[in-house]
């Protein structure tokens, strides 16, 4: 534990001109007294750590000292490619690994380039969850992520819509979609590829054996295909509506954008009032009512009759609230 901390201290000092005891203590998560003892230990081991006294003082390496301890471990190299998504790293339990990798890279750079990671972080940031949501990190995510990195089979208990089931899975990849984590996995022993929500796992246990990944598996391509299939599979009903020009413009913001575009592209010419009639695929009449209500008077429901009657009832209630 202390050896790893001493190495990290050397890398920190190598990547910056100097650091105060307070800064080192904060980075190493120890007390300033421990920093002083560690600096003394490094000095006795032959690492030229020099302490400047006074208010502007701090610790620095003397004479352009360069450590050779900059080689990346495999786990650090893999985590480094995810360093642009700090929230995801933290949720998967890889934050410390990525931090060590960034330090090693920074220490290996020329002095003029060592602030690259800081300047990049101040200019680009990825915030994955959608607005107005407080996503919760699934408790079993770190265990699943470890199995994904290690190509190790897992035995899992999963809550489906019908019941809780057991599966032996080969975990191929993780996807973070709008703040929700998904596992793309193949059922063990040559089964099909499926997608599981991590927050529906009730238990996960890594098996002793590893699996051999299919070389042609493409995680982004697989996810894109399954996401499109899912979006289309839930569209089990149709509604016919008349849209004003403004309603047509706003339709992709009220319903699934590809579905809206598809409906508008197949629409005929506008009528005398400038409205177009479209047939729109929807999840259900209930969902369609919620979605199309957002368009207000820019949409008129033509069919089915039950949904049209529901909007007519809404109009009567609104007139009662606001006056004729």
């Amino acid at each position: 534990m202390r050896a790893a901390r001493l190495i990290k201290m050397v890398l920190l000092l190598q990547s910056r001109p100097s650091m105060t005891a307070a800064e080192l203590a904060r980075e190493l998560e120890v007390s300033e007294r421990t920093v002083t003892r560690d600096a003394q230990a490094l000095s006795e081991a032959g690492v030229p750590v020099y302490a400047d006294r006074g208010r502007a003082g701090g610790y620095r390496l003397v004479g352009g000292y360069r450590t050779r301890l900059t080689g990346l471990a495999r786990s650090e190299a893999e985590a480094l490619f995810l360093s642009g998504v700090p929230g995801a790293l933290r949720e998967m339990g890889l934050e410390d690994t990525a931090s060590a990798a960034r330090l090693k890279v920074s220490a290996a750079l020329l002095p003029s380039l060592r602030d690259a990671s800081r300047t990049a972080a101040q200019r680009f940031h990825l915030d994955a969850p959608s607005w107005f949501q407080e996503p919760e990190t699934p408790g079993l995510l770190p265990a699943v992520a470890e199995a994904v990195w290690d190509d190790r089979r897992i035995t899992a208990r999963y809550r489906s819509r019908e019941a809780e089931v057991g599966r032996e899975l080969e975990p191929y990849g993780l996807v973070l979609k709008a703040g929700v984590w998904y596992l793309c996995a193949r059922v063990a022993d040559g089964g099909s590829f499926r997608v599981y929500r991590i927050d529906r796992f009730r238990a996960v246990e890594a098996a002793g054996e590893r699996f051999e990944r299919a070389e042609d598996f493409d995680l982004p391509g697989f996810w894109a295909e399954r996401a499109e299939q899912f979006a289309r599979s839930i569209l089990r009903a149709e509604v016919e509506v008349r849209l004003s020009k403004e309603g047509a413009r706003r339709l992709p913001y009220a319903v699934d954008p590809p579905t809206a575009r598809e409906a508008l592209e197949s629409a005929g010419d506008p009528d005398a009032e400038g409205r177009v009639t479209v047939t729109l695929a929807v999840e259900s009449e209930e969902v369609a009512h919620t979605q199309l209500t957002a368009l207000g008077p820019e949409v008129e429901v033509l069919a089915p009759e039950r949904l049209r009657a529901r909007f007519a009832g809404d109009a009567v209630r609104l007139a009662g609230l606001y006056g004729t």
Side-chain angles (χ1 to χ4, degrees):
M1 181 67 180
R2 190 189 186 197
R5 190 175 71 241
L6 293 175
I7 291 173
K8 186 173 182 179
M9 184 174 180
V10 173
L11 291 173
L12 284 167
L13 293 174
Q14 186 172 313
S15 64
R16 308 178 193 181
S18 68
M19 295 183 69
T20 66
E23 290 172 336
L24 283 168
R26 184 167 58 252
E27 290 282 353
L28 299 172
E29 299 181 348
V30 296
S31 66
E32 292 186 31
R33 180 173 296 182
T34 298
V35 169
T36 301
R37 288 199 296 264
D38 286 352
Q40 180 65 30
L42 287 171
S43 181
E44 292 173 356
V47 179
V49 178
Y50 181 77
D52 291 315
R53 306 297 178 183
R55 293 182 59 186
Y59 292 92
R60 60 186 175 86
L61 294 176
V62 179
Y65 176 84
R66 304 284 294 174
T67 177
R68 296 294 182 182
L69 298 172
T70 53
L72 290 177
R74 180 177 180 83
S75 61
E76 293 170 341
E78 291 170 337
L80 188 60
F81 285 102
L82 293 173
S83 59
V85 283
L89 280 169
R90 183 172 56 254
E91 293 177 6
M92 288 189 291
L94 297 173
E95 188 174 29
D96 290 342
T97 302
S99 175
R102 286 192 295 268
L103 272 175
K104 289 183 178 181
V105 170
S106 181
L109 292 173
L110 294 172
S112 60
L113 299 177
R114 287 179 189 162
D115 66 341
S117 61
R118 180 181 61 81
T119 55
Q122 292 301 319
R123 288 164 173 78
F124 301 99
H125 175 67
L126 175 63
D127 185 9
S130 58
W131 288 104
F132 312 119
Q133 290 187 359
E134 292 293 335
E136 296 183 3
T137 303
L140 293 173
L141 176 60
V144 175
E146 185 176 355
V148 169
W149 284 116
D150 207 24
D151 292 340
R152 196 174 295 276
R153 286 187 177 186
I154 60 173
T155 301
R157 299 293 300 176
Y158 185 80
R159 178 176 55 82
S160 66
R161 291 182 178 179
E162 293 80 18
E164 187 174 301
V165 296
R167 290 281 188 273
E168 187 174 352
L169 302 172
E170 297 174 352
Y172 268 67
L174 289 167
V175 175
L176 177 60
K177 171 71 171 180
V180 179
W181 283 97
Y182 297 88
L183 172 66
C184 301
R186 182 167 62 180
V187 178
D189 299 322
S192 60
F193 282 94
R194 300 181 184 181
V195 177
Y196 301 87
R197 279 184 61 142
I198 300 295
D199 58 7
R200 291 183 181 169
F201 282 114
R202 291 296 173 260
V204 171
E205 182 179 352
E209 59 180 310
R210 290 184 171 86
F211 65 91
E212 186 174 345
R213 297 176 66 91
E215 294 184 0
D216 59 349
F217 179 77
D218 173 29
L219 179 60
F222 171 78
W223 175 258
E225 179 183 346
R226 289 304 173 92
E228 183 179 356
Q229 288 177 1
F230 172 75
R232 291 186 178 278
S233 69
I234 63 174
L235 302 178
R236 302 186 180 94
E238 287 186 344
V239 297
E240 187 178 8
V241 298
R242 291 176 69 233
L243 296 163
S244 68
K245 185 176 181 180
E246 177 63 14
R249 186 189 69 81
R250 288 163 47 186
L251 185 64
Y253 300 97
V255 302
D256 177 53
T259 303
R261 287 194 295 268
E262 202 172 283
L264 291 170
E265 287 171 359
S266 61
D269 295 330
D271 59 19
E273 298 178 9
R275 290 177 174 255
V276 293
T277 300
V278 302
T279 299
L280 185 68
V282 295
E283 184 175 347
S284 65
E285 290 185 19
E286 181 67 31
V287 172
H289 176 262
T290 302
Q291 294 173 325
L292 296 176
T293 295
L295 299 181
E298 309 303 331
V299 61
E300 178 190 358
V301 175
L302 301 178
E305 185 59 37
R306 182 171 54 185
L307 182 61
R308 178 179 174 86
R310 187 169 180 179
F311 272 91
D314 291 344
V316 171
R317 292 176 59 194
L318 285 171
L321 288 173
Y322 294 102
T324 56

